[in-house]
Amino acid sequence: MAAPEGSLRRRKAGDAGVGLGSPHAAGPDGAACPARLREGTFWLTRIVLLRALAFVYLVAFLVALHQNKQLLGDRGLLPCSTYLRSVQRYFHGRVGWDAWNYAPTVLWLLDWSHMDFNLDLLALLGLGGSGFVLISGCANMVLMAALWGLYLSLVSVGQAWYSFGWESQLLETGFLGIFLCPLWTLSQLPEHTPPSRVVLWGFRWLIFRVMLGAGLIKIRGDRCWWNLTCMDYHYETQPVPNPLAYFLHQSPWWFHRFETLSNHILELLVPFLVFLGRRLCLLHGVLQILFQVVLILSGNLSFLNWLTIVPSLACFDDAALGRLFPSGLRGLKARVLQIQGARAHGVEPRPRYGCIVRRISNLALGILLAWLSVPVVLNLLSSRQVMNTSFSSLRIVNTYGAFGSITKERTEVILQGTASPNASAPEAVWEDYEFRCKPGDPWRRPCLISPYHYRLDWLMWFAAFQTYEQNEWILHLAGKLLTNDADTLSLLAHNPFEGRAPPRWVRAEHWRYRFSRAGGRHASEGKWWARKRIGPYFPPLRLSDLRGYFLARGWPHPDAPSPQ
């Protein structure tokens, strides 16, 4: 029986509305039900990527604001003005292209006599920009380029404090983030500029290299990765353990074997899924994000694992991420449905000048990434693979890796001071300084700070299996302690000489640490750690002993008056 003409017209009109991307379709009972997002578009993906990247930027600039003056400032442990002068002298006193290429930083243009102000200015600008992107979920190329340039300026003068692999990883991730956005427009859904496939594959290429590089450096490095025994030591000897690491270290041997084998699968096999179609790419993204969450829970690895989640998000399209967004008629999800419907019917927005510039820049980006990836791929294939290395000062494409070797025992440098006039006297009382997060007092619970990063604590971990001659800044730190320098002491958790005269002598002792055994004697006493003295790390020093050492390196002597 033929349908009434009026009913047929109404049905066609309803079908046309749904086809054009209407956010709701009619169900069997006539009620509205949400339409599903189509696969293969990345409007929502861009918003999630930008917010995740902005969060990591926010943490990185917050760390810079809180710590850079003490580490790199006018009277910092490694003053960046001294570093810039050494670069300038190396290039015959000129601040030309060679100097900029060696250390690309806007600090070349600023007044070096107020470096504390300059460092705070860069950090505050970065905090403001990243905070805006995090809250709004939108950005343009200009804003993202500014964030990248600000952080590059800090990394380029950061010296040992910024020598970690995640600094280059953040710069590479941030560089890709520039091209994820429209040129000028600030909108969560800029209809004229859909997310570039070149950029999305750039993120996928980044997470592939990060994970594969980490896996290859392990099997080419420490033998314990082959024997599946590395996790027997990792939780105890990692740079800054957290409370959960204490309990994971007590796990049975078979659990540690399972962990090590799972690590190999996730770093050596799973990365290839990113190239094997949508479903396997989604699986890759899920597995890598879960892996990073486990690493976040089991250690204080700065913002490294949070940052590694960012490129993994490029594995998810709008259809996969749609459930994270509300389904209101005026919401982002509904607007994406409308855009998808319009484009499915061939309705394309009229190109703008900015769109043309962006397309050209994306093409240039693809060529640049391919060219810069050549030495990186050769490094991955080499039996002499190096990790966390940049082949240019802009750090656009880098090599990555983590824990190629595992230390089998934990050693710590404990700084001590005494008010005794005679450091060698038996009655001299030596009192310990406590750092913010690194192990010291055996009774103190391990800290939980990820994604925040205490740079001095991390460098103290490296110093413990090196010598003080390899870490000159530690003698500068000793000099600061000998004067009760307030800025430097803000990096520490406890100053035993607070409220009284500074120590007359400072020394460093070398200790061996291990987790107390659950149920054992030390644990029953409330200790998280058991420790045993190895010997001196550097001998007792007075302030006068360091004068020539400081002058030779261009450091201001601690007893000199602060600049006004």
Side-chain angles (χ1 to χ4, degrees):
M1 182 175 179
E5 184 178 354
S7 173
L8 184 60
R9 281 198 297 266
R10 287 195 297 270
R11 187 181 309 164
K12 286 182 178 179
D15 291 344
V18 172
L20 284 172
S22 175
H24 293 83
D29 57 354
C33 63
R36 295 184 61 184
L37 291 166
R38 292 183 174 89
E39 300 172 0
T41 64
F42 298 88
W43 300 95
L44 299 178
T45 307
R46 171 163 55 192
I47 297 172
V48 175
L49 267 169
L50 284 175
R51 280 190 160 141
L53 176 56
F55 172 76
V56 179
Y57 263 137
L58 187 76
V59 174
F61 283 116
L62 185 64
V63 172
L65 181 65
H66 286 170
Q67 301 177 35
N68 274 3
K69 292 189 296 296
Q70 301 91 316
L71 301 175
L72 299 169
D74 296 316
R75 301 180 67 84
L77 296 178
L78 289 175
C80 62
S81 56
T82 303
Y83 173 73
L84 288 174
R85 288 189 186 95
S86 68
V87 174
Q88 188 177 16
R89 283 196 302 270
Y90 181 79
F91 292 108
H92 311 292
R94 295 189 300 271
V95 184
W97 166 253
D98 290 334
W100 274 88
N101 184 55
Y102 186 84
T105 174
V106 296
L107 292 175
W108 288 116
L109 304 175
L110 303 179
D111 182 2
W112 296 357
S113 63
H114 297 89
M115 198 59 81
D116 285 357
F117 173 81
N118 298 338
L119 293 170
D120 277 353
L121 177 63
L122 298 186
L124 287 170
L125 289 173
L127 278 172
S130 56
F132 171 81
V133 178
L134 178 61
I135 294 170
S136 67
C138 64
N140 57 30
M141 294 181 75
V142 176
L143 176 55
M144 296 305 293
L147 289 174
W148 179 78
L150 288 168
Y151 201 67
L152 177 65
S153 293
L154 295 177
V155 173
S156 296
V157 298
Q159 304 164 82
W161 313 113
Y162 280 79
S163 60
F164 308 104
W166 54 77
E167 316 295 356
S168 297
Q169 187 175 332
L170 177 52
L171 286 172
E172 180 171 350
T173 308
F175 186 79
L176 291 171
I178 297 172
F179 299 88
L180 192 62
C181 308
L183 181 61
W184 300 110
T185 307
L186 280 174
S187 170
Q188 288 183 317
L189 294 174
E191 296 186 24
H192 291 83
T193 51
S196 166
R197 298 302 177 98
V198 173
V199 179
L200 291 167
W201 275 106
F203 280 115
R204 295 174 184 178
W205 174 233
L206 171 58
I207 187 61
F208 173 81
R209 289 184 289 109
V210 168
M211 301 312 299
L212 186 63
L216 290 175
I217 201 69
K218 289 179 175 65
I219 63 172
R220 289 168 175 163
D222 203 314
R223 188 67 187 173
C224 70
W225 289 113
W226 282 97
N227 299 334
L228 305 184
T229 58
C230 276
M231 298 307 293
D232 294 350
Y233 313 99
H234 168 73
Y235 295 116
E236 183 177 76
T237 62
Q238 64 178 306
V240 184
N242 69 7
L244 184 58
Y246 173 86
F247 298 101
L248 289 171
H249 181 70
Q250 320 284 340
S251 302
W253 67 269
W254 57 265
F255 183 73
H256 290 317
R257 304 298 180 274
F258 168 75
E259 288 179 305
T260 313
L261 183 60
S262 300
N263 186 93
H264 290 328
I265 293 172
L266 287 164
E267 292 185 340
L268 293 171
L269 299 179
V270 170
F272 290 93
L273 299 181
V274 78
F275 303 112
L276 300 180
R278 178 180 180 270
R279 291 187 177 181
L280 291 180
C281 187
L282 288 174
L283 177 61
H284 169 273
V286 170
L287 290 176
Q288 296 299 0
I289 290 174
L290 289 176
F291 182 39
Q292 299 309 313
V293 170
V294 169
L295 295 176
I296 289 169
L297 295 175
S298 62
N300 292 303
L301 298 175
S302 181
F303 50 78
L304 170 63
N305 306 116
W306 302 78
L307 175 60
T308 305
I309 289 174
V310 176
S312 301
L313 296 171
C315 296
F316 302 92
D317 58 12
D318 291 335
L321 294 177
R323 294 182 180 179
L324 301 179
F325 293 81
S327 299
L329 288 173
R330 297 182 179 181
L332 291 170
K333 191 173 178 180
R335 291 169 59 191
V336 171
L337 280 166
Q338 293 172 357
I339 294 172
Q340 288 182 339
R343 289 176 181 261
H345 286 74
V347 180
E348 296 283 347
R350 185 176 179 180
R352 297 178 178 177
Y353 173 75
C355 300
I356 298 172
V357 173
R358 185 171 176 272
R359 289 175 184 175
I360 295 173
S361 66
N362 287 333
L363 176 62
L365 174 67
I367 297 172
L368 178 65
L369 293 179
W371 173 255
L372 294 178
S373 294
V374 173
V376 174
V377 172
L378 293 176
N379 178 71
L380 281 174
L381 298 175
S382 172
S383 60
R384 298 183 178 181
Q385 177 192 359
V386 292
M387 65 180 188
N388 301 328
T389 298
S390 301
F391 294 98
S392 75
S393 58
L394 296 180
R395 307 178 190 232
I396 296 173
V397 181
N398 314 285
T399 71
Y400 301 104
F403 297 108
S405 61
I406 295 290
T407 51
K408 306 304 187 294
E409 63 178 21
R410 182 180 200 91
T411 57
E412 292 288 347
V413 176
I414 304 298
L415 293 173
Q416 300 175 326
T418 181
S420 173
N422 185 357
S424 58
E427 64 274 12
V429 178
W430 290 93
E431 301 176 76
D432 292 1
Y433 290 88
E434 286 291 329
F435 286 74
R436 293 280 183 182
C437 212
K438 92 173 190 68
D441 181 0
W443 280 270
R444 191 175 69 163
R445 177 181 60 83
C447 67
L448 182 63
I449 56 162
S450 179
Y452 196 77
H453 177 38
Y454 289 117
R455 297 188 179 277
L456 179 58
D457 291 53
W458 268 74
L459 264 292
M460 289 296 293
W461 179 74
F462 284 104
F465 49 84
Q466 297 171 338
T467 66
Y468 72 87
E469 291 92 347
Q470 296 171 287
N471 298 274
E472 295 182 339
W473 54 266
I474 201 169
L475 294 184
H476 201 173
L477 175 60
K480 299 287 190 180
L481 300 182
L482 286 164
T483 61
N484 269 355
D485 182 77
D487 287 340
T488 302
L489 287 167
S490 69
L491 299 174
L492 274 58
H494 173 63
N495 171 24
F497 297 89
E498 184 176 3
R500 54 194 177 110
R504 296 189 180 187
W505 300 84
V506 165
R507 72 180 184 184
E509 295 284 282
H510 214 179
W511 292 75
R512 182 176 293 109
Y513 275 64
R514 58 179 177 84
F515 275 136
S516 62
R517 184 171 55 85
R521 177 174 61 88
H522 293 96
S524 65
E525 296 173 355
K527 293 181 179 179
W528 291 81
W529 297 95
R531 68 179 186 175
K532 182 179 181 181
R533 183 177 181 273
I534 300 173
Y537 185 80
F538 63 72
L541 296 170
R542 295 170 300 180
L543 196 57
S544 58
D545 297 331
L546 296 171
R547 184 178 298 275
Y549 191 84
F550 280 32
L551 291 175
R553 286 154 183 80
W555 298 339
H557 197 258
D559 62 357
S562 300
Q564 298 298 317

